[in-house]
Amino acid sequence: MSDSAATQAVLESLSADIATLSIASRVSVTTEQPSGSVPTPVGGDCVAWLKLQGLVDLSKCEERLQKKLADCTAKLTALSADMAKEAYAKVPDNIKEKNSERLKELTAEKEQNEDALQQLAAMKKE
């Protein structure tokens, strides 16, 4: 699932390859959140929903997502702190641009992980 049309087009063109590499019977590219699926953020603008229907330990998934969220939050905090330093004004513009883009990606990834944890919590209640 991705909100980006460009990302969706790439995923659709590679869906057979993704299915083969992931040993999945089928891969669908959609903007919908399928019920009974576990969310897995993949980068800043893409989420993979794995339809597992009771085949996975939701607590282990939650643990994995918590680790990913903590890692992402730590990276986001460190990058934000670096960008807030006075000396950052001396950093070349191309590096500032890359850091700004990375900040956006990390923010999106953090939000996706938080959303994934919320979705997982809702699945655990079902």
Side-chain angles (χ1 to χ4, degrees), residues 5-95:
T7 300
Q8 277 194 300
V10 170
L11 290 172
E12 285 172 1
S13 72
L14 297 173
S15 63
D17 295 329
I18 294 168
T20 300
L21 293 171
S22 63
I23 313 170
S25 59
R26 186 172 60 91
V27 171
S28 301
V29 179
T30 180
T31 57
E32 304 293 319
Q33 296 179 359
S35 63
S37 298
V38 178
T40 303
V42 183
D45 68 344
C46 184
V47 176
W49 290 85
L50 306 176
K51 194 150 186 107
L52 300 175
Q53 296 180 330
L55 299 176
V56 71
D57 182 353
L58 295 181
S59 296
K60 293 282 185 188
C61 284
E62 183 177 22
E63 185 179 310
R64 181 180 48 80
L65 286 169
Q66 289 286 5
K67 283 182 183 179
K68 285 179 83 171
L69 178 60
D71 181 56
C72 182
T73 301
K75 288 177 182 176
L76 188 58
T77 301
L79 182 58
S80 295
D82 286 346
M83 292 173 73
K85 292 178 181 174
E86 248 182 75
Y88 192 73
K90 298 175 184 175
V91 171
D93 288 340
N94 65 328
I95 302 297

